[in-house]
Amino acid sequence: MPLSEKHDETKTYDDILNAGPPLNQLAKEFITPTELFFVRNHASIPAVDLSNYRLVVNGLVSRELSLTLDEIKSGFEPQTLIATLQCAGNRRKELVDYKPIDDQLAWGIEAIGTATWTGLRLGDMLKAAGIASDRAAHIGFLGLDGIMRDGERSSYGSSIPLDKALACEVLLAYQMNGQDLPLAHGSPLRVIVPGYIGARSVKWLCGISVLEDPSDNYFQQVGYKLFPPSINMYNVNYADGMQLTKLPVNSVIVQPEDRSLMAAGKIAVEGYAMSDGEHEITWVSVSADGGETWQRAEFLNEPQLWTWQLWRTEFDLPSGTHELVVRAWDTAANSQPETIASTWNFKGYVNNAWHRVRITLK
Ligand SMILES: Nc1nc2c(c(=O)[nH]1)N[C@H]1C(S)=C(S)[C@@H](COP(=O)(O)O)O[C@H]1N2
Ligand SMILES: [Mo]
């Protein structure tokens, strides 16, 4: 596979696949080719026996469901949606360089991709099961992969608020880019929660639960929580953290790469921007002098909900070292903080500081 692997050096087992595209192939196209789509796994990819596969829907429902893949595919109206998936750990490397972060993958800018997802609406599945109580407020998901922690096996899981779960953009997908969902991306069935951190889009989905409270799964209650900069792994009380949902507005320079050495003259600057999906990106500004002066980038695709915005601009630059900077705004006037100091958190999530790239021209 053309992805380059990322290893978590703190784990002793090395069969956990985490990988992203090489930077010269990142965000080249609006739809990311499946073989270039980043992979983020917390455990080994499970072996799924399709003849025994069942999706179970339970909790505060009128009817518990247990469905085969064929029943899922034939029983619900197919829906197709283009959506960007981004890991909450995207851009963690810049945070790590500012102040150490233990035990987390140091993603650069590659933990993001856009695909065409086909499946059914989660809302249609919930309608089939029937929500049985007005106490229902969250929808929990469970995957088939098993995580070993302190000698005990638990499954990967998460939850999302009920109102998001009922929104028409949230899918249970069995196809990616027009093909059967690949095993690494959650075959036979995965959740796609557009606009939310990737962690909520549970792969190898085997369970959906209608719940009163957010899932008690480790990845909802301990992982993927945001804390202020004063909190660290020694003074943390996980109950105080904010469960991450929507992604903040972000923008990234993909080309040229940081530390590039290039010929002076016309320099094309390209990248992506992404908001919470509910708001389109309205404006991307790029600076070639560390943020003193800015120019507007042109958009390479029509702005649309649930996807990234690819952009490009050009500078004519003399020899010397230059700092390129990008920032974006969305239709709700959300923008990005200027410094890494203001986005640093001890788990290294949702870094959306102005993105900076240093280049030297000869
Ligand atoms: N079952 C399961 N689902 C999972 C994960 C996982 O480890 N196990 N990783 C999550 C995280 S953190 C992300 S960012 C996305 C990544 O999806 P991808 O590998 O298809 O890019 O899947 C999410 N769903
Ligand atoms: Mo993630």
Side-chain angles (χ1 to χ4, degrees):
M1 102 152 62
L3 298 181
S4 54
E5 292 193 26
K6 277 223 137 41
H7 290 284
D8 183 344
E9 267 120 44
T10 63
K11 299 263 160 52
T12 48
Y13 36 100
D14 62 2
D15 64 336
I16 300 180
L17 175 63
N18 283 295
L23 296 190
N24 63 4
Q25 295 190 61
L26 173 65
K28 281 280 163 235
E29 295 167 77
F30 183 63
I31 304 281
T32 307
T34 302
E35 66 275 14
L36 291 174
F37 202 102
F38 82 99
V39 176
R40 171 65 175 119
N41 294 327
H42 290 272
S44 316
I45 292 175
V48 185
D49 171 7
L50 259 192
S51 58
N52 284 327
Y53 176 80
R54 296 288 183 280
L55 173 71
V56 172
V57 185
N58 60 19
L60 302 170
V61 293
S62 312
R63 293 164 290 280
E64 286 202 4
L65 304 177
S66 172
L67 302 169
T68 65
L69 187 63
D70 281 344
E71 287 168 337
I72 293 166
K73 283 184 173 174
S74 61
F76 297 87
E77 194 189 325
Q79 304 288 337
T80 294
L81 178 84
I82 301 176
T84 297
L85 205 65
Q86 184 178 183
C87 181
N90 197 29
R91 297 188 59 192
R92 182 179 285 124
K93 171 104 183 26
E94 297 156 67
L95 301 176
V96 174
D97 290 347
Y98 172 77
K99 207 162 116 180
I101 292 175
D102 289 338
D103 211 17
Q104 301 287 331
L105 293 176
W107 288 109
I109 57 173
E110 73 280 52
I112 186 169
T114 300
T116 304
W117 308 98
T118 301
L120 57 136
R121 291 203 171 115
L122 172 60
D124 288 348
M125 178 65 76
L126 293 173
K127 219 175 288 167
I131 292 178
S133 163
D134 54 15
R135 287 182 291 115
H138 297 269
I139 300 299
F141 308 119
L142 216 52
L144 286 166
D145 47 340
I147 287 118
M148 292 301 292
R149 190 172 297 101
D150 304 330
E152 270 181 54
R153 184 191 186 281
S154 62
S155 299
Y156 184 90
S158 79
S159 64
I160 60 173
L162 178 63
D163 56 349
K164 178 67 174 179
L166 294 174
C168 60
E169 70 274 7
V170 179
L171 299 185
L172 305 179
Y174 43 75
Q175 280 187 9
M176 178 181 186
N177 293 336
Q179 307 287 323
D180 283 348
L181 194 63
L183 190 55
H185 294 291
S187 169
L189 192 70
R190 77 172 301 171
V191 188
I192 292 294
V193 188
Y196 274 35
I197 61 164
R200 307 304 179 216
S201 292
V202 172
K203 306 194 275 189
W204 312 291
L205 182 71
C206 63
I208 298 176
S209 290
V210 179
L211 306 169
E212 207 170 325
D213 299 307
S215 165
D216 57 11
N217 190 273
Y218 176 88
F219 295 94
Q220 191 71 31
Q221 295 299 340
V222 177
Y224 298 104
K225 278 191 166 177
L226 190 63
F227 293 90
S230 57
I231 302 300
N232 58 46
M233 65 195 297
Y234 304 106
N235 66 9
V236 64
N237 172 9
Y238 280 100
D240 288 344
M242 191 197 103
Q243 293 175 356
L244 286 164
T245 57
K246 292 181 198 179
L247 287 155
V249 62
N250 210 337
S251 58
V252 165
I253 296 166
V254 177
Q255 293 294 333
E257 288 176 34
D258 197 26
R259 317 275 162 191
S260 293
L261 183 61
M262 305 165 84
K266 285 217 176 354
I267 302 292
V269 182
E270 293 175 348
Y272 62 79
M274 178 70 196
S275 185
D276 59 7
E278 276 176 40
H279 300 95
E280 294 163 2
I281 297 291
T282 45
W283 193 286
V284 172
S285 283
V286 188
S287 169
D289 54 12
E292 291 296 311
T293 59
W294 300 84
Q295 70 187 41
R296 186 179 191 170
E298 64 173 302
F299 285 174
L300 302 179
N301 57 275
E302 283 301 313
Q304 63 183 74
L305 302 180
W306 315 120
T307 73
W308 60 12
Q309 178 67 55
L310 302 187
W311 55 265
R312 165 184 204 285
T313 194
E314 215 172 84
F315 291 93
D316 202 353
L317 297 175
S319 58
T321 294
H322 304 269
E323 189 180 62
L324 304 171
V325 193
V326 66
R327 66 180 298 203
W329 286 259
D330 71 9
T331 54
N334 294 311
S335 190
Q336 305 172 233
E338 182 174 340
T339 64
I340 291 290
S342 54
T343 58
W344 192 91
N345 59 93
F346 88 103
K347 299 294 280 295
Y349 296 135
V350 295
N351 175 21
N352 70 332
W354 295 3
H355 187 233
R356 297 164 195 271
V357 159
R358 281 142 302 258
I359 56 173
T360 299
L361 306 183
K362 294 202 288 193

